[in-house]
Coordinates of all heavy atoms in Angstrom, one line a residue:
D337 N 7.9 -5.3 23.9 CA 8.1 -4.0 24.6 C 9.0 -4.1 25.9 O 10.2 -3.8 25.8 CB 6.8 -3.4 24.9 CG 6.9 -2.0 25.5 OD1 8.0 -1.4 25.6 OD2 5.8 -1.4 25.8
V340 N 12.8 -5.5 26.2 CA 13.7 -4.8 25.4 C 13.9 -3.4 25.9 O 12.9 -2.6 26.1 CB 13.3 -4.8 23.9 CG1 14.3 -4.0 23.1 CG2 13.2 -6.2 23.4
G341 N 15.2 -2.9 26.1 CA 15.4 -1.5 26.4 C 15.9 -1.2 27.7 O 16.3 0.0 28.0
K343 N 14.5 -0.8 30.8 CA 13.8 -0.2 31.9 C 13.4 -1.3 32.9 O 12.7 -2.2 32.5 CB 12.5 0.6 31.4 CG 12.9 1.9 30.8 CD 11.5 2.7 30.6 CE 11.8 4.0 29.9 NZ 10.5 4.7 29.5
K388 N 1.2 0.5 18.0 CA 1.9 1.8 18.3 C 3.2 1.9 17.4 O 3.4 3.0 16.9 CB 2.3 1.7 19.8 CG 3.1 2.9 20.2 CD 3.7 2.7 21.7 CE 4.9 1.8 21.7 NZ 5.5 1.5 23.0
K427 N 12.0 -0.8 18.4 CA 12.3 -0.4 19.7 C 13.8 -0.4 19.9 O 14.4 0.5 20.6 CB 11.7 -1.4 20.8 CG 12.0 -0.9 22.2 CD 11.0 -1.2 23.2 CE 11.4 -0.5 24.6 NZ 10.6 -0.9 25.7
V431 N 15.9 2.9 21.2 CA 16.6 2.8 22.4 C 18.2 3.0 22.2 O 18.9 3.6 23.0 CB 16.4 1.5 23.1 CG1 17.4 1.2 24.3 CG2 14.9 1.4 23.7
E437 N 16.0 8.0 27.7 CA 14.8 8.8 27.4 C 15.1 10.3 27.7 O 14.4 11.0 28.5 CB 13.6 8.3 28.3 CG 12.4 8.9 27.7 CD 11.1 8.2 28.3 OE1 11.1 6.9 28.4 OE2 10.2 8.9 28.6
R441 N 13.3 8.6 22.8 CA 12.7 7.4 23.4 C 11.3 7.8 23.8 O 10.4 6.9 23.9 CB 13.5 6.9 24.5 CG 12.9 5.6 25.1 CD 13.9 4.8 26.0 NE 13.3 3.6 26.5 CZ 13.9 2.6 27.1 NH1 15.2 2.6 27.2 NH2 13.3 1.6 27.5
L444 N 8.0 6.4 22.3 CA 7.4 5.1 22.6 C 6.2 5.3 23.6 O 5.5 4.3 23.8 CB 8.5 4.2 23.3 CG 9.7 3.8 22.4 CD1 10.7 3.1 23.3 CD2 9.3 3.0 21.2
N445 N 6.1 6.5 24.1 CA 4.9 6.7 24.9 C 3.6 7.2 24.2 O 2.6 7.6 24.9 CB 5.3 7.8 26.0 CG 6.4 7.4 26.9 OD1 6.5 6.2 27.2 ND2 7.2 8.3 27.3
H448 N 0.2 6.5 25.6 CA 0.4 6.2 27.0 C 0.1 7.3 27.9 O -0.2 7.1 29.1 CB 1.8 5.7 27.3 CG 2.1 4.3 26.7 ND1 2.0 4.0 25.4 CD2 2.4 3.2 27.3 CE1 2.3 2.7 25.2 NE2 2.5 2.2 26.3
Ligands
LIG717 N1 7.8 1.3 27.2 C1 8.5 2.5 26.9 C2 10.0 2.5 27.0 O1 10.5 1.4 27.1 O2 10.6 3.4 26.9

Side-chain angles (χ1 to χ4, degrees):
D337 186 4
V340 175
K343 281 189 183 175
K388 175 190 82 179
K427 183 147 186 188
V431 168
E437 200 168 313
R441 186 166 177 164
L444 299 173
N445 296 327
H448 287 61

